[in-house]
Amino acid sequence: MSRQVIVSGNWKMHHNHYEAIQFVQKLAALLRTSPLPAGRQATLHPTFTSLRSVQAAVESDAVPVLLGAQDCHAEDRGAYTGEVSAEMLSKLNVSYVIVGHSERRAYCGETDEVVRAKLDAVLRHSMTPILCVGETLEQRQAGDAFAKVSSELAAALGKRPSEVVGALVVAYEPIWAIGTGQSASSSDAEEMAAYVRREVARLAGGEAAVSIRVQYGGSVTPESAAELLACDNVDGLLVGGASLDADSFAAIARAGS
Ligand code: PGA
């Protein structure tokens, strides 16, 4: 079965809304000249303050990208100063929400329990979570990479209906590869993506394992994208630094076609 390939640009804390609009206009022109291949989906994950502007720019130029967010709160509303709920994101036509990015786990103290609750919130509002999992360098060197990924998957996906799990996106992002310029090799990415699928089969059954989409993330570039996308079990890419430039994001989104 050929799964739909999904390439996502995680802008992190970059691009104010003026820069975001310029990006979308440039991307629109690039994708008009050279469209995305069939079966390819692209998502953009700007900061909360740029979501509305990006949505308007995407709609007015009919850019073939879907709107994504980088995070959300687990509750729908309440006394949580500074937070943004999944419900609010869904009202802005957000389709995908990154959940449990390693930067949020590390800098904002997000535990597996918090990540699971955020995943619940995203699903409650009919959006698709991109669940991030991945090991640190120390864990990889100690031979614990698979155990780490397994425990993050079990905490977030355990005891969920098969059809729910099968519709998700999991991003395997080795922490040592994020923002370091040191991408995982395609064979390491493939090995872990295949493992993610086996774990999903264990947690939610074989059908979920076939239909779930597994992204690789960590220092993806236009040069490395095609080889990573050629891996049997890699259905997409989660791109940070290289998604900030429209030329480079467009090249990655079209890679291998
Ligand atoms: P990077 O970030 O591409 O800059 O390594 C990836 C990510 O954190 O999603």
Side-chain angles (χ1 to χ4, degrees):
M1 173 182 156
S2 77
R3 290 167 290 267
Q4 186 186 47
V5 169
I6 175 169
V7 175
S8 302
N10 173 15
W11 287 355
K12 310 192 179 183
M13 201 169 69
H14 296 286
H15 286 340
N16 60 43
H17 76 284
Y18 299 111
E19 294 161 336
I21 293 167
Q22 283 172 356
F23 177 104
V24 174
Q25 289 169 343
K26 186 162 180 199
L27 185 66
L30 290 167
L31 294 183
R32 258 195 304 273
T33 318
S34 182
L36 293 177
R40 189 79 50 111
Q41 194 172 61
T43 71
L44 286 177
H45 301 250
T47 61
F48 292 137
T49 54
S50 296
L51 278 172
R52 186 80 182 86
S53 309
V54 168
Q55 186 222 354
V58 161
E59 281 179 8
S60 81
D61 274 351
V63 192
V65 298
L66 290 168
L67 193 60
Q70 300 176 16
D71 181 41
C72 68
H73 196 270
E75 300 294 333
D76 287 346
R77 54 193 63 212
Y80 302 103
T81 302
E83 295 290 341
V84 173
S85 73
E87 184 195 18
M88 293 164 183
L89 297 175
S90 71
K91 295 282 185 277
L92 284 173
N93 284 351
V94 167
S95 304
Y96 287 88
V97 184
I98 297 170
V99 176
H101 191 281
S102 61
E103 285 154 13
R104 295 207 57 86
R105 293 183 193 255
Y107 307 145
C108 307
E110 283 191 10
T111 60
D112 280 341
E113 291 68 37
V114 170
V115 171
R116 186 175 175 98
K118 290 187 173 191
L119 213 122
D120 289 338
V122 174
L123 292 169
R124 203 160 57 234
H125 294 286
S126 307
M127 298 176 290
T128 303
I130 298 179
L131 169 70
C132 297
V133 298
E135 80 285 358
T136 62
L137 186 59
E138 294 69 34
Q139 287 161 341
R140 175 153 284 256
Q141 285 169 342
D144 293 336
F146 294 97
K148 170 75 178 316
V149 167
S150 169
S151 75
E152 287 180 337
L153 288 172
L157 304 184
K159 301 192 178 68
R160 291 189 191 275
S162 173
E163 63 276 13
V164 169
V165 175
L168 301 186
V169 179
V170 169
Y172 166 56
E173 295 208 303
I175 294 166
W176 47 269
I178 296 178
T180 58
Q182 195 202 332
S183 170
S185 66
S186 55
S187 62
D188 283 346
E190 167 60 16
E191 185 183 29
M192 191 60 92
Y195 178 75
V196 166
R197 227 176 275 289
R198 286 199 299 280
E199 286 297 284
V200 168
R202 200 173 56 76
L203 292 166
E207 281 182 28
V210 169
S211 62
I212 199 165
R213 287 173 292 168
V214 184
Q215 292 179 317
Y216 166 78
S219 296
V220 174
T221 62
E223 292 71 37
S224 64
E227 189 180 330
L228 288 160
L229 286 175
C231 297
D232 284 348
N233 284 285
V234 175
D235 307 311
L237 302 167
L238 181 53
V239 189
S243 74
L244 295 173
D245 174 76
D247 282 298
S248 140
F249 182 68
I252 294 172
R254 290 191 296 248
S257 60

